[in-house]
Amino acid sequence: MSRSLRKAELARAYVLHHRPYRDTSRIVELFSREHGRLTLFARGARGPKSRTASLLQPFVPLLVSWRGHGDAAQLTGAELVAGGSPGLPPAVLMSGFYLNELLLRLTTRDDAHPELFDAYDEALAALAAGTPPEAPLRTFEHRLLGGLGYGVDLEAEAETGRAIDPEGRYVYRAGLGIARAVADAPGSVAGRSLLHLAAGALAGPGELDDARRVLRAALDYCLEGRQLATRAVARAVAGKERIR
C-alpha cells in the first residue's frame, strides 16, 4: 500500500531545531501553525550554493513548503515572512531556546495547535522588542499548558471550588490544582498573583516569582521527570538571563 502524500505550500512556521544530514543537507524540526510540529529533510541546505541556509535558523518567521510520503517529507521552499524579524538578540537567545525545548518536549508531531503557535509568535516578538523576558516566558508557559490540556484553574480552589481570594495564600498540588495554604507556608503564592497570571496581567517581581513557582511545578509534572537542557545551561550562567 502506498503511503499518503504530505504537502504544503507557504505554511507559516519556525525552525525549532536542526542537525546535519549527510554532506550538505539538514534534518529540520519545524513548528507550523496549521500542521503542528514536523520533521523535514532540507536537501542541500548546507551546500555552498544554498539559498535557505541563512533562513533555516531558529526564531526566524518563515513561509515553508514541503512534499513527500510518510515521515520522509522534503522541504521544497522557504522564505522570510514579509516584515518578519531576522531572529533574536544575543541577550535573550537562551529564553528562545527554552521556548523551543518546551515545544519539542511537550508537543506531538503532526498535531496542529494554531493558538499555541500564536502564543509562541507573540513571545518571540516581545523578546525581540526588548521586553524583559520574565513576563513573556510566564505568559507562554501558561498558554502552553492550557493549549495542551494541562491548564491550571487559577481562579478557583481545585477541591472546594471557592474563588481565589486576592489576599489569600495558595499552593499548587501536582495533578490536582490550586489549594489554600497556611499563611506564609513554604512555597505558597499570593492569590493576587494567581488572578493576575490568569488575566495575563503580571506586574512586579513578586508576582512574576509566584507565577514562576506555580508554572514550574505544573510543567515539571507534565515533563514526568525529564530534565530541560536549557535550565541546566541557565544555571551554569546564572545571573545573565533568568529563565527559571
Side-chain angles (χ1 to χ4, degrees):
M1 181 181 294
S2 62
R3 293 173 296 174
S4 60
L5 178 67
R6 302 170 61 209
K7 62 179 180 178
E9 294 292 332
L10 299 178
R12 289 192 62 196
Y14 283 93
V15 172
L16 297 179
H17 180 70
H18 60 76
R19 61 186 186 273
Y21 176 69
R22 294 183 175 174
D23 292 336
T24 61
S25 301
R26 288 179 183 168
I27 295 175
V28 182
E29 196 85 22
L30 291 175
F31 186 49
S32 164
R33 189 178 194 279
E34 303 301 334
H35 303 271
R37 184 164 62 85
L38 64 153
T39 304
L40 300 177
F41 291 101
R43 301 191 184 281
R46 294 189 299 129
K49 298 181 180 180
S50 173
R51 297 180 180 179
T52 61
S54 62
L55 292 178
L56 296 178
Q57 302 293 334
F59 320 126
V60 178
L62 299 174
L63 297 174
V64 298
S65 303
W66 66 85
R67 183 182 183 89
H69 294 274
D71 295 330
Q74 180 174 333
L75 185 77
T76 58
E79 60 185 71
L80 182 68
V81 170
S85 167
L88 293 179
V92 292
L93 281 176
M94 189 57 63
S95 293
F97 285 123
Y98 170 69
L99 300 181
N100 286 6
E101 189 172 14
L102 287 177
L103 290 172
L104 288 166
R105 293 292 188 93
L106 294 176
T107 59
T108 303
R109 282 188 175 87
D110 302 314
D111 189 7
H113 290 282
E115 73 292 340
L116 183 52
F117 181 94
D118 292 342
Y120 176 76
D121 186 61
E122 291 167 18
L124 292 186
L127 293 172
T131 302
E134 287 86 353
L137 294 184
R138 301 296 82 82
T139 299
F140 176 79
E141 291 168 338
H142 182 218
R143 293 174 69 178
L144 171 67
L145 289 165
L148 297 179
Y150 296 104
V152 180
D153 187 347
L154 300 169
E155 298 177 300
E157 296 179 32
E159 294 184 348
T160 67
R162 295 193 189 98
I164 296 298
D165 177 4
E167 304 303 323
R169 302 293 299 182
Y170 296 87
V171 294
Y172 169 76
R173 293 179 178 170
L176 297 175
I178 301 298
R180 190 84 184 215
V182 177
D184 298 324
S188 67
V189 301
R192 190 177 308 279
S193 299
L194 297 175
L195 295 174
H196 285 179
L197 175 58
L202 291 169
E207 291 189 4
L208 289 167
D209 283 345
D210 283 349
R212 177 177 56 85
R213 187 175 296 117
V214 170
L215 292 169
R216 174 167 185 166
L219 287 168
D220 285 348
Y221 176 74
C222 296
L223 288 165
E224 299 178 330
R226 291 172 293 172
Q227 300 300 310
L228 295 176
T230 45
R231 285 184 185 170
V233 173
R235 286 194 296 268
V237 292
K240 292 186 177 180
E241 180 182 356
R242 186 170 190 177
I243 289 178
R244 301 301 297 165

